Amino acid sequence: MTNDPRPSADIAVIGGSGFYSFLDDATEVEVQTPFGPPSDPITIGELHGRRVAFVPRHGRDHRFPPHRIPYRANLWALRALGVRQVLAPSAVGSLVPEHGPGTLCVPDQLVDRTSGRAQTFYDEGAAVHVPFADPYCPDGRHAAVTAASAAGWPPVDGGSLVVIEGPRFSTRAESRWFAAQGWTLVGMTGHPEAVLARELALCYTPLCLVTDLDAGIETGEGVTMQEVLRVFADNVDRLRTVVADVIKALPADRACPCPAALDDIEPPFALP
């Protein structure tokens, strides 16, 4: 972006509590997009010599439930600021008993079970079909698995994240059905983030912290918000450390397939 006085960044983190103050020399930037404002002003600063942007997915006061997050505005604003690689830490439930609370997972597949969310930038003007067989950046996933392993928190490498509409948790029957399909994780925010990133030719890498066994996997009262928040708080420091290590390890030049997502495709409008 030429002649743009705003600070820029190459890498972004879309996250929640625990990530608000992990950048050095941070500056807040307000960005307007064709899809409204992002969840909150975007913070840009330095980390390991890299220019990094951070956007709180739910807003700083957690005012946006999963189905109301302004996903399109968040991703558009990040690209407008120069971002090309996105890390997406989140809390998830596990659909397999061996991946209990405190497990870190880097899935390689995604299943959409949401409804009613705006999940494309290209809903008028032209039909734009991006490849999405492999929804996550392979280089980003490799950096995440390598960095977490080196930090002494070996992650589960691979698996399928099923994203539900929320904001309620799953019934036991739903949970058992998800598990029966071979899906391993369940969350509420990984879609449409990943596909919107692909539509902007961005790299997108999830880092999923298991906070609970889902309702169909464990007996008892089922998943509670208190349990999710407690486990996340217990692990957020080392999650933040791993995210910082991944930022350091991400390649400066993108050789993955993600930048080519829009090759031979003519979007109906100019991208930022």
Side-chain angles (χ1 to χ4, degrees), residues 83-102:
V83 167
R84 294 298 181 266
Q85 300 181 82
V86 177
L87 300 179
S90 67
V92 299
S94 174
L95 295 167
V96 292
E98 56 267 31
H99 301 164

Side-chain angles (χ1 to χ4, degrees), residues 92-101 103 105 175 183-186 210-218:
V92 299
S94 174
L95 295 167
V96 292
E98 56 267 31
H99 301 164
T103 302
C105 301
S175 180
W183 308 333
T184 52
L185 303 169
V186 57
V210 173
T211 55
D212 57 272
L213 293 175
D214 208 45
I217 310 303
E218 188 174 42

Side-chain angles (χ1 to χ4, degrees), residues 12-254:
V13 175
I14 304 176
S17 58
F19 288 89
Y20 298 138
S21 59
F22 79 128
L23 299 176
D24 297 325
D25 299 321
T27 301
E28 282 195 356
V29 182
E30 298 214 10
V31 184
Q32 292 299 317
T33 82
F35 308 96
S39 298
D40 254 324
I42 295 173
T43 303
I44 295 180
E46 295 272 347
L47 193 63
H48 293 310
R50 313 292 294 271
R51 294 291 295 171
V52 180
F54 170 72
V55 57
R57 182 183 282 117
H58 296 275
R60 290 180 186 171
D61 54 1
H62 217 84
R63 66 188 178 278
F64 294 111
H67 63 300
R68 295 292 190 183
I69 292 170
Y71 295 102
R72 293 195 293 184
N74 287 348
L75 271 300
W76 187 276
L78 291 175
R79 181 177 166 107
L81 292 171
V83 167
R84 294 298 181 266
Q85 300 181 82
V86 177
L87 300 179
S90 67
V92 299
S94 174
L95 295 167
V96 292
E98 56 267 31
H99 301 164
T103 302
L104 183 65
C105 301
V106 184
D108 60 355
Q109 279 297 316
L110 178 146
V111 179
D112 172 25
R113 291 293 301 169
T114 65
S115 61
R117 301 185 185 191
Q119 56 178 293
T120 181
F121 292 107
Y122 309 115
D123 50 8
E124 59 182 32
V128 174
H129 307 286
V130 294
F132 203 56
D134 298 300
Y136 305 127
C137 177
D139 290 354
R141 288 192 67 259
H142 176 74
V145 171
T146 302
S149 298
W153 196 9
V156 176
D157 183 359
S160 296
L161 169 65
V162 54
V163 183
I164 61 174
E165 180 69 2
R168 67 170 178 85
F169 295 118
S170 302
T171 67
R172 296 188 198 281
E174 290 168 334
S175 180
R176 290 170 186 144
W177 178 57
F178 298 156
Q181 309 314 303
W183 308 333
T184 52
L185 303 169
V186 57
M188 298 181 189
T189 60
H191 181 86
E193 268 187 7
V195 70
L196 293 173
R198 181 62 52 84
E199 287 193 341
L200 294 178
L202 306 178
C203 300
Y204 182 91
T205 303
L207 293 98
C208 297
L209 171 63
V210 173
T211 55
D212 57 272
L213 293 175
D214 208 45
I217 310 303
E218 188 174 42
T219 59
E221 64 180 293
V223 184
T224 67
M225 188 68 177
Q226 292 77 12
E227 176 188 11
V228 169
L229 293 175
R230 178 185 61 78
V231 176
F232 191 85
D234 288 345
N235 290 275
V236 69
D237 286 344
R238 61 176 179 166
L239 180 60
R240 185 171 56 237
T241 297
V242 166
V243 169
D245 291 344
V246 178
I247 288 171
K248 184 178 181 180
L250 285 173
D253 297 316
R254 297 194 296 163

